[in-house]
């Protein structure tokens, strides 16, 4: 949903909670991921038993929020929060919860430097897939590859370490030093891996999840995605 003004300096938008910090007796400081970028705000009285804001700032949810923004400080005031989508199925499984928390942590860090609606929609797609309990390795690979792309570090899936076009007849290994694929007779990255990663970088997660053979390529792709994210 596009943002709109209720009144001057009021931003209405969708939001995902990245971080909640207790403040004072009853307040919380929030980092929110929105299509407009990361927003920091204070939710006054949200820790009181009957707070109307509490239900709208749960983790693994998407909420409709209104933030009163000040020209004097980067810290806004959360004046309204209504839950729109609930992905709390993520908290029912430890592995899902750990991956969901990892996604939030990375998104929180990247949102300090990236001001793009793509990051918001990427996180929401991953929450939806985790809530549905789809393949965790695929979700993590999709998130890592696309979060790096959004940050300006897209994986090169077109040319190898020698500048040659990637060939369907060759196999490859990951060259961590050069951050590029390198042809190798014993390489575990082949044409199907490359094709699937290209799809990941150009299509919604729901489309990628329809590839029935995707799971068998995940060990190599997840390893590559993790290594790339660490070294890029």
């Amino acid at each position: 949903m596009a943002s709109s003004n209720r009144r001057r300096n009021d931003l209405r938008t969708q939001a995902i909670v990245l971080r909640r910090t207790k403040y004072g007796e009853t307040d919380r400081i929030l980092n929110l991921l929105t299509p407009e970028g990361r927003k920091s705000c204070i939710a006054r009285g949200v820790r009181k038993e009957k707070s109307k804001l509490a239900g709208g700032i749960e983790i693994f949810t998407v909420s409709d929020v209104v933030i009163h923004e000040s020209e004097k400080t980067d810290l806004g005031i959360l004046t309204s929060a209504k839950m729109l989508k609930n992905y709390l199925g993520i908290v029912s499984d430890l592995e899902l919860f750990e991956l969901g928390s990892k996604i939030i942590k990375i998104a929180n860090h990247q949102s300090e430097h990236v001001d793009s609606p793509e990051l918001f929609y990427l996180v929401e797609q991953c929450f939806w897939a985790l809530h549905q309990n789809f393949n965790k390795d695929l979700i993590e690979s999709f998130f890592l590859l696309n979060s790096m792309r959004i940050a300006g570090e897209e994986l090169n899936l077109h040319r190898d370490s020698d500048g040659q076009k990637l060939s369907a007849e060759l196999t490859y290994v990951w060259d961590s030093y050069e951050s590029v694929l390198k042809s190798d007779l014993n390489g575990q990255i082949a044409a199907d891996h490359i094709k699937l990663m290209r799809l990941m970088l150009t299509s919604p997660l729901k489309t990628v999840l329809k590839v029935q053979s995707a799971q068998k390529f995940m060990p190599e792709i997840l390893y590559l995605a993790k290594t790339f994210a660490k070294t890029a």
Side-chain angles (χ1 to χ4, degrees):
M1 177 178 64
S3 62
S4 61
N5 286 326
R6 284 186 170 183
R7 60 186 184 185
R8 187 178 180 183
N9 297 332
D10 274 9
L11 172 70
R12 181 176 182 180
T13 188
Q14 292 186 9
I16 293 170
V17 175
L18 295 175
R19 187 174 182 181
R20 303 185 301 183
T21 304
K22 291 181 180 179
Y23 183 78
E25 293 288 332
T26 60
D27 304 340
R28 285 189 188 274
I29 302 293
L30 307 173
N31 284 348
L32 301 178
L33 181 64
T34 79
E36 290 77 22
R38 189 170 79 169
K39 301 293 181 180
S40 296
C41 61
I42 184 168
R44 298 195 184 280
V46 73
R47 289 158 54 205
K48 292 181 179 179
E49 185 176 347
K50 296 183 179 181
S51 170
K52 294 181 179 180
L53 297 175
I57 61 166
E58 293 294 329
I59 60 170
F60 306 128
T61 64
V62 176
S63 296
D64 177 82
V65 303
V66 177
I67 302 170
H68 181 71
E69 298 182 304
S70 171
E71 296 178 356
K72 298 180 180 180
T73 175
D74 292 333
L75 188 65
I77 299 174
L78 185 71
T79 60
S80 175
K82 180 181 179 181
M83 185 186 299
L84 298 176
K85 300 174 185 177
N86 178 338
Y87 300 119
L88 294 181
I90 297 172
V91 304
S92 65
D93 179 275
L94 180 58
E95 290 186 357
L96 294 176
F97 179 78
E98 288 178 344
L99 180 51
S101 299
K102 179 179 180 179
I103 287 171
I104 289 175
K105 182 178 180 180
I106 294 173
N108 188 43
H109 174 72
Q110 290 201 345
S111 64
E112 295 179 4
H113 314 286
V114 175
D115 188 16
S116 168
E118 280 193 278
L119 186 58
F120 173 86
Y121 296 115
L122 172 62
V123 173
E124 184 180 4
Q125 287 181 78
C126 293
F127 280 3
W128 170 83
L130 287 172
H131 179 70
Q132 299 293 329
N133 201 16
F134 284 110
N135 184 277
K136 291 183 285 293
D137 290 349
L138 191 154
I139 296 168
E140 184 173 2
S141 299
F142 183 87
F143 175 77
L144 290 173
L145 291 175
N146 280 284
S147 63
M148 294 303 295
R149 174 184 59 79
I150 293 169
E153 298 286 348
E154 183 169 344
L155 180 66
N156 184 350
L157 294 172
H158 299 285
R159 295 189 179 274
D160 65 16
S161 57
D162 295 320
Q164 300 297 312
K165 288 185 178 180
L166 299 183
S167 170
E169 309 301 321
L170 300 176
T171 56
Y172 299 88
V173 295
W174 178 249
D175 186 335
S176 297
Y177 182 77
E178 296 290 342
S179 291
V180 70
L181 291 170
K182 181 179 180 180
S183 62
D184 190 298
L185 292 176
N186 298 315
Q188 295 185 320
I189 302 297
D192 287 335
H193 295 86
I194 294 168
K195 182 178 180 181
L196 182 56
M197 286 189 287
R198 287 173 176 169
L199 182 68
M200 287 181 170
L201 288 169
T202 56
S203 302
L205 181 52
K206 286 185 178 181
T207 299
V208 180
L209 289 167
K210 293 178 181 178
V211 180
Q212 295 182 355
S213 61
Q215 185 172 349
K216 68 180 182 180
F217 303 115
M218 283 304 105
E220 296 82 15
I221 291 178
L222 180 58
Y223 174 80
L224 193 158
K226 286 181 175 179
T227 306
F228 176 61
K230 288 180 181 178
T231 59

